[in-house]
Amino acid sequence: MSPFYAIVAEDVPDSLENRLSARPAHLQRLHRLKDEGRLLLAGPFPAIDSPDPGPAGFSGSLIVAAFASLEEAQAWASADPYVTAGVYARISVKPFRKTLP
């Protein structure tokens, strides 16, 4: 099994409309990772303390998945539809070691 990498992305302000437009393509890539058995977890950070933030939107995303190398994880993250749509202001990719559960 390839090592895991944490992809932490921060949204630009007021990006909800762009995020919703690009979401189907973004999810398609995540489903591909899941189908390949490489996705540990993925999800957005609500901008407010609520599972459904409504118009407040989201402040970013977290994806933890297996890649062959840090460079491959960075390339995958840079090609995300949210990058193309101008949703993400910045992305950090770091090695991740799953300890629990």
Side-chain angles (χ1 to χ4, degrees):
M1 173 65 119
S2 297
F4 286 112
Y5 293 90
I7 299 167
V8 182
E10 295 178 47
D11 287 14
V12 299
D14 302 316
S15 61
L16 183 59
E17 186 176 321
N18 289 347
R19 178 181 267 272
L20 293 175
S21 294
R23 188 169 188 261
H26 171 77
L27 289 177
Q28 183 178 36
R29 295 178 86 230
L30 291 173
H31 282 291
R32 197 170 316 127
L33 286 178
K34 181 179 175 263
D35 293 345
E36 294 169 357
R38 297 170 49 200
L39 184 65
L40 184 62
L41 64 91
F45 299 119
I48 60 173
D49 189 11
S50 172
D52 181 5
F58 300 91
S59 64
S61 302
L62 170 65
I63 300 164
V64 180
F67 293 93
S69 67
L70 177 61
E71 292 77 18
E72 183 183 305
Q74 290 170 325
W76 187 92
S78 295
D80 194 283
Y82 283 171
V83 172
T84 307
V87 174
Y88 289 158
R90 67 192 132 273
I91 301 171
S92 171
V93 181
K94 298 180 181 185
F96 179 83
R97 188 179 78 189
K98 182 178 184 279
T99 303
L100 293 172

